[in-house]
Amino acid sequence: MTEFGRFGPLIGAIDEGTSNVKFMVFAAKTSEVLTYHQISLKRFSPQEGWVEQDPLEILNAVNECIEVTVDNLRKLDINPADVVGIGITNQRETTIVWNSMTGQPLYSAIVWLDVRTSKIVDELTKQKGTQSVSAVTQASGLPLSTYFSSVKLRWLLKNVIAVKDAIASNKCLAGTVDSWLIWNLTGGVHGGVHITDVTNASRTQLMSLRTLQWDKRLLRFFDVPIEILPKIKSSAEIYGYISVGSLLGVPIAGCLGDQQAALVGQGCMRFGQVKCTFGTGCFLLYNTGDSIVHSQHGLLTTVAYKMGPDSPPAYALEGSVAIAGDTLQWLRDSLGIISEVKDSEALAAQVGDGDEGSISFVPAFNGLYSPYWRKDARGVMCGLSERTRRQHIVRAALEAVCHQTRAVADAMAADCASLRQLLADGGMAQNSVLMQMQADLLGIPVIRPLMMESTALGAAIVAGRAMRVWPTTIPSPPADTFLPALTNEEREMRRVRWEEALNKCMGWTDTKNEHVNAEESDRTTAVLPPGLFFLGTALLVIIADKLKSM
């Protein structure tokens, strides 16, 4: 029998998000975080509407986080040999292609937020017809959109010569970030395992929800060769073993897309339980158990998890809000309204909803996701007056996240049943003003665990289950509960006012002009700069505010 140290068997979790990478070590018996290390990731935009990352930067950050965390274990007098398995969770839809012989990326990672495929979406809709597009949604659970990996892969195959050449010579591999990491961590060019799990595969728009395998009709629709794709596995099984570094020989035994990982980490394992991750974007998942529920109200159908090769899959309805935490980063980096993202809580608390100067703000920088699916939408700010200050703008930015979350929750209620409570996690959930505002606008309790790393915890749980060291039942963790404080009349008044602003944000891009510009510049899309009107008026507010304070 294996002898472990004072914390018992340990599970490591690689949490690769859009903004940063973490490696955390959990005690399997108690779910306690023992140590971790985190590194920020860069994003770059070669053209307007394009969002890319460096696959090698992602990989190097993961390796560095592992090494620093293992060093931390030694400093804490914890034996790294007690780490018996590793789970991976990652930003979904982000797509990477690489050369199987050299291990080098063939192009940058195209991030889920990227909208260069707008023209491809329009072309497919026109060429294939509405019946074929509907069949894609029925099989995959996903609408035809720039969001998913399918059209990103199609763009890469059509536009990148290195990818075309690699496919012609049978040297091209493709996948989401989990596949890139697992292939490299298990050996890369020296026998790396090319796999993905069902949750990440369900975000490519190339997998059948029923068979949990790559679907020939979907592959044919998007013209993607099956040979470049990874093998689909369950979320909890041993995929391979770490090939280098301080954790040499440790099995990689779990994998979940980040939002599904948060669902598992929050303990939403029964029908009707709902979690919302407030991060770069904002994502609600509603556990529908073994039922594949096709939304009639603008939601996605996705795989929630599959706890082992012989276990049945669980499904979920998902609502995705494209811009959440990114709004605050924009206020900081582009407008200079706040010095730090964390300042938003104190600033928003300085004004109330009915305060003179209050505004409505819709941050549709590159369109709207669930439940609207409007790629022609752009950011707007309504209700500006000479009394509007930066506090009002910050509060309106937070309120915009809550209103979009409310719209998704309403769609979930229409498709299934009303939400009784919302479990919250993610970086933005640390903002108590935001959490109270969300409870007010939903009219239900919002519960925030004190241990906020639900995504990494979910990855650790599936790996721990695969290694048979994680308890099957875990008591609910300590949490803060935010109760609604608005009347139904006040809640409805706020909804109506915000939706008036929402209606004004639609139709800001001209599809015909977009296509002309795309052809002239050999680009896939011609996305206007986010919220030109919004930016100009916001700058006027800032200048006026500074003048008044002199």
Side-chain angles (χ1 to χ4, degrees):
M1 186 175 179
T2 305
E3 293 288 336
F4 293 105
R6 63 188 186 278
F7 294 104
L10 310 180
I11 295 290
I14 297 168
D15 183 356
E16 190 285 319
T18 313
S19 302
N20 58 66
V21 167
K22 300 173 191 168
F23 182 67
M24 312 188 78
V25 175
F26 293 83
K29 291 180 179 178
T30 63
S31 304
E32 179 185 359
V33 178
L34 301 181
T35 185
Y36 74 98
H37 187 66
Q38 176 175 321
I39 296 175
S40 296
L41 294 175
K42 299 183 184 69
R43 276 181 279 167
F44 44 95
S45 181
Q47 298 185 34
E48 291 165 6
W50 294 30
V51 187
E52 298 180 359
Q53 289 181 315
D54 181 352
L56 293 176
E57 181 193 358
I58 293 172
L59 176 62
N60 292 335
V62 167
N63 284 322
E64 183 178 340
C65 284
I66 290 174
E67 294 304 317
V68 173
T69 304
V70 169
D71 191 49
N72 290 344
L73 287 174
R74 295 191 182 102
K75 291 175 181 177
L76 294 168
D77 197 27
I78 300 172
N79 189 352
D82 289 347
V83 178
V84 299
I86 291 172
I88 292 179
T89 182
N90 56 284
Q91 55 172 311
R92 308 167 304 170
E93 298 94 22
T94 297
T95 305
I96 302 174
V97 286
W98 67 96
N99 187 302
S100 62
M101 301 303 293
T102 66
Q104 292 299 303
L106 298 169
Y107 192 79
S108 300
I110 301 181
V111 178
W112 57 275
L113 281 166
D114 189 287
V115 295
R116 76 185 66 191
T117 53
S118 179
K119 183 182 175 185
I120 288 179
V121 169
D122 290 341
E123 287 177 344
L124 285 171
T125 302
K126 184 177 180 179
Q127 293 170 4
K128 304 286 188 177
T130 55
Q131 189 172 352
S132 293
V133 171
S134 296
V136 167
T137 301
Q138 189 70 18
S140 68
L142 310 174
L144 192 57
S145 165
T146 60
Y147 185 10
F148 307 109
S149 308
S150 53
V151 287
K152 293 175 172 57
L153 272 175
R154 185 178 173 94
W155 186 92
L156 288 162
L157 270 58
K158 288 180 63 177
N159 292 279
V160 181
I161 294 175
V163 174
K164 295 178 182 178
D165 292 344
I167 289 176
S169 58
N170 198 30
K171 296 176 183 176
C172 182
L173 296 178
T176 41
V177 179
D178 58 306
S179 296
W180 165 249
L181 292 177
I182 292 171
W183 185 81
N184 279 284
L185 292 171
T186 57
V189 295
H190 303 293
V193 179
H194 191 211
I195 69 99
T196 188
D197 93 295
V198 289
T199 66
N200 280 292
S202 74
R203 310 302 294 191
T204 63
Q205 207 168 31
L206 300 173
M207 186 192 82
S208 164
L209 283 176
R210 296 193 179 279
T211 67
L212 304 184
Q213 297 298 324
W214 303 123
D215 187 284
K216 291 181 180 179
R217 294 166 300 172
L218 295 174
L219 294 172
R220 191 161 52 245
F221 183 94
F222 293 104
D223 198 19
V224 173
I226 194 171
E227 293 78 18
I228 69 175
L229 297 176
K231 186 174 182 179
I232 300 173
K233 299 275 192 175
S234 76
S235 307
E237 61 180 285
I238 295 175
Y239 312 121
Y241 299 84
I242 298 289
S243 63
V244 294
S246 298
L247 295 180
L248 176 68
V250 175
I252 299 175
C255 183
L256 288 165
D258 53 6
Q259 302 311 319
Q260 287 93 333
L263 187 79
V264 172
Q266 285 273 36
C268 297
M269 311 297 282
R270 298 191 303 275
F271 181 93
Q273 291 184 304
V274 185
K275 74 87 199 175
C276 181
T277 299
F278 296 84
T280 302
C282 191
F283 303 89
L284 285 84
L285 263 70
Y286 185 116
N287 190 327
T288 62
D290 58 4
S291 300
I292 299 175
V293 178
H294 289 284
S295 175
Q296 303 300 312
H297 300 88
L299 302 178
L300 313 176
T301 308
T302 194
V303 179
Y305 49 82
K306 188 176 189 291
M307 290 294 187
D310 299 321
S311 298
Y315 296 92
L317 278 175
E318 177 173 335
S320 307
V321 176
I323 302 296
D326 261 7
T327 310
L328 299 179
Q329 292 186 26
W330 183 75
L331 293 179
R332 180 193 65 192
D333 299 337
S334 297
L335 296 190
I337 286 180
I338 54 178
S339 300
E340 298 291 341
V341 169
K342 63 182 180 181
D343 297 341
S344 62
E345 182 172 359
L347 286 167
Q350 293 175 21
V351 296
D353 181 66
D355 194 279
E356 289 188 46
S358 292
I359 61 169
S360 291
F361 167 27
V362 184
F365 293 161
N366 285 318
L368 292 167
Y369 285 0
S370 308
Y372 313 106
W373 299 108
R374 291 290 297 265
K375 62 189 180 69
D376 62 341
R378 290 297 178 267
V380 298
M381 182 165 57
C382 301
L384 284 166
S385 73
E386 70 278 4
R387 294 185 181 276
T388 301
R389 301 287 183 268
R390 65 177 182 144
Q391 293 94 323
H392 299 103
I393 296 173
V394 171
R395 184 176 180 85
L398 297 180
E399 190 176 47
V401 174
C402 297
H403 277 297
Q404 291 179 88
T405 301
R406 175 201 51 75
V408 171
D410 289 346
M412 288 178 168
D415 280 327
C416 286
S418 296
L419 282 61
R420 291 184 293 179
Q421 63 182 26
L422 182 71
L423 298 169
D425 60 75
M428 283 191 81
Q430 298 177 44
N431 187 322
S432 294
V433 171
L434 176 72
M435 294 293 95
Q436 184 58 55
M437 197 181 297
Q438 188 66 81
D440 289 341
L441 293 176
L442 285 175
I444 58 175
V446 172
I447 299 172
R448 177 184 67 188
L450 298 184
M451 204 293 283
M452 296 289 291
E453 300 294 344
S454 301
T455 304
L457 177 59
I461 289 172
V462 291
R465 294 280 176 85
M467 301 306 298
R468 300 184 178 181
V469 298
W470 204 279
T472 53
T473 57
I474 303 170
S476 299
D480 294 321
T481 300
F482 298 85
L483 299 174
L486 289 182
T487 65
N488 289 335
E489 291 76 12
E490 290 172 321
R491 188 176 301 115
E492 180 65 11
M493 184 178 66
R494 291 193 190 186
R495 182 191 66 80
V496 170
R497 186 181 63 185
W498 190 80
E499 289 186 351
E500 287 176 354
L502 176 71
N503 292 333
K504 293 180 179 8
C505 88
M506 307 294 188
W508 277 77
T509 61
D510 187 322
T511 304
K512 292 182 180 178
N513 288 341
E514 253 187 21
H515 289 177
V516 171
N517 292 339
E519 292 165 4
E520 289 177 349
S521 60
D522 192 30
R523 290 168 50 186
T524 307
T525 183
V527 182
L528 294 174
L532 287 174
F533 169 75
F534 169 37
L535 176 58
T537 51
L539 287 172
L540 287 174
V541 170
I542 298 164
I543 294 168
D545 198 19
K546 289 182 178 178
L547 288 172
K548 292 190 180 221
S549 63
M550 291 178 62

